[in-house]
Amino acid sequence: MILVLGGTSEGREVAARLKAAGWPVLVSLATPVGKAFAGEVEMVVGRRDAAGFLTLFRERKIRLVVDAAHPFATELRRQIQKACSLAGLPYLRLARPSPPLPEHPLLVPCPDFASAVEEAVQRGPVIFLTTGTRTLPLFATRAQMAGCRVVVRCLPDPEAVAACLAAGLSHRDIVALTGPFTEELNRALFRAYGATVVVTKESGPTGGMEEKLKAAWALGLPVVLVRRPPEPEGAFYRLEDLLQAVEKLEKGEVG
């Protein structure tokens, strides 16, 4: 059984291609919302640490892991790499290509979330956050100190909404929607909530970054962009290259 860490369009594609090639595939998703991206394959849902993945490896007789999770899923990546190392399983990473950032006076690149918070509050008073709920407490706490309002766009998942409420957001500042989002919809949401700055991640074309940038700049809004964390050494950036590596591993041609 090949375990695919999915929840992304890349995860859906690699799972479908592996299944079509005749390999048994199990897709791991963090939340039920990701089921829409998994396609017609078997799925397991839930967040796991290294111990949880080791249990899954044993129960489902996993022999190979393909990580096609989001570029910013750094904690997930750390846990699955640890589990693979402990279990002696091959780990392959399918990374999302990262084209050069556009040059624009309203683009504010940041190396991490801590610096992004400071740049965002300087451009308040209304911060439209599109980076999910994992780093929301960081933004919410600093925004409150600076007298800024934070509007969060997150997945329509009870866990995500609960995280927003726990961070002190009111219901009117929670935009629970599933993408992808067009430039027009982004523009309408930014305008409707009175955004003065948009915060996003360097998720690339697949993650809808371009539509957010165009929408914000059409309204004259600055965009604070968190740069992508480094990918693991040996990551694949083309699906065909990864599929070839899987085939070699499964046929015992590597080692």
Side-chain angles (χ1 to χ4, degrees):
M1 180 75 73
I2 299 176
L3 180 66
V4 176
L5 304 188
T8 59
S9 56
E10 294 94 345
R12 180 178 182 176
E13 186 175 6
V14 70
R17 290 288 298 276
L18 289 171
K19 183 180 178 182
W23 306 117
V25 176
L26 178 66
V27 175
S28 174
L29 305 170
T31 68
V33 176
K35 287 184 178 180
F37 297 94
E40 297 300 320
V41 294
E42 187 180 359
M43 295 168 280
V44 290
V45 179
R47 301 186 189 280
R48 292 174 175 79
D49 58 10
F53 277 117
L54 285 171
T55 300
L56 183 64
F57 294 167
R58 290 192 298 270
E59 292 177 346
R60 301 308 305 270
K61 296 181 172 56
I62 303 299
R63 60 177 183 255
L64 168 66
V65 173
V66 175
D67 176 3
H70 195 278
F72 281 83
T74 52
E75 179 58 21
L76 168 63
R77 198 146 294 122
R78 189 174 74 86
Q79 295 298 329
I80 192 64
Q81 287 179 316
K82 180 180 178 181
C84 287
S85 177
L86 290 171
L89 292 182
Y91 166 88
L92 301 177
R93 166 66 176 155
L94 178 60
R96 186 175 293 178
S98 181
L101 293 179
E103 294 185 7
H104 197 284
L106 291 175
L107 182 65
V108 186
C110 295
D112 50 42
F113 284 97
S115 58
V117 170
E118 296 305 318
E119 293 289 353
V121 297
Q122 290 179 25
R123 293 163 174 80
V126 182
I127 301 168
F128 198 104
L129 191 64
T130 69
T131 57
T133 58
R134 285 298 183 92
T135 57
L136 173 57
L138 188 66
F139 282 89
T141 300
R142 183 67 182 91
Q144 185 178 17
M145 293 171 57
C148 294
R149 173 191 180 194
V150 176
V151 177
V152 175
R153 187 165 72 194
C154 64
L155 290 172
D157 176 71
E159 184 179 332
V161 174
C164 292
L165 296 174
L169 270 66
S170 68
H171 287 87
R172 68 187 182 93
D173 292 334
I174 303 172
V175 186
L177 294 172
T178 301
F181 302 99
T182 64
E183 178 186 344
E184 291 75 20
L185 180 53
N186 279 315
R187 190 163 60 242
L189 289 171
F190 299 160
R191 185 187 294 115
Y193 283 88
T196 57
V197 59
V198 175
V199 181
T200 188
K201 296 181 289 192
E202 188 187 359
S203 55
T206 306
M209 186 181 76
E210 184 176 350
E211 288 78 8
K212 280 184 273 190
L213 294 178
K214 289 181 177 179
W217 293 339
L219 298 173
L221 300 178
V223 177
V224 174
L225 182 140
V226 183
R227 297 302 305 266
R228 185 180 299 185
E231 290 286 351
E233 184 178 353
F236 295 92
Y237 289 86
R238 294 178 64 252
L239 177 57
E240 296 303 327
D241 293 337
L242 179 129
L243 293 173
Q244 288 180 14
V246 169
E247 185 174 2
K248 289 181 179 179
L249 283 168
E250 291 294 272
K251 291 182 177 179
E253 297 178 9
V254 174

